[in-house]
Amino acid sequence: MQMNFQIGKSGVNEGVIESLKLGFKTHKVIKISVLKSLAPDKKKVKIIADEIAGKLGRNYKHVIVGFTIVMRK
């Protein structure tokens, strides 16, 4: 079971991290779409993915597919 999530201009803030933590209580996989207004290239998507993983903790893994981050618990 997976959940879809979007990150826009406001970027990765405490609200985003809290929403992801709540999502992981009921889902094992969350697909995070990064809008191009936040990350115009894939290098920036990798930086955002690493930032999210760092804030969530080490029990989470991620894979980047285009402008989508697939996070697993």
Side-chain angles (χ1 to χ4, degrees), residues 3-73:
M3 176 179 156
N4 294 325
F5 196 81
Q6 266 188 340
I7 298 179
K9 290 181 190 175
S10 61
V12 179
N13 55 34
E14 275 305 308
V16 170
I17 299 301
E18 289 302 315
S19 295
L20 289 172
K21 286 179 181 178
L22 285 172
F24 275 119
K25 288 185 178 182
T26 56
H27 298 84
K28 289 187 176 189
V29 177
I30 297 180
K31 283 187 174 182
I32 305 166
S33 298
V34 181
L35 299 181
K36 290 185 181 181
S37 59
L38 176 64
D41 59 24
K42 293 180 184 173
K43 289 180 185 177
K44 181 71 174 162
V45 175
K46 170 128 176 57
I47 293 168
I48 293 167
D50 292 339
E51 180 183 355
I52 292 170
K55 289 183 178 182
L56 284 177
R58 60 188 181 121
N59 293 332
Y60 300 89
K61 298 186 186 316
H62 65 276
V63 176
I64 300 169
V65 180
F67 287 87
T68 302
I69 304 164
V70 181
M71 299 283 307
R72 289 189 181 277
K73 187 171 183 179

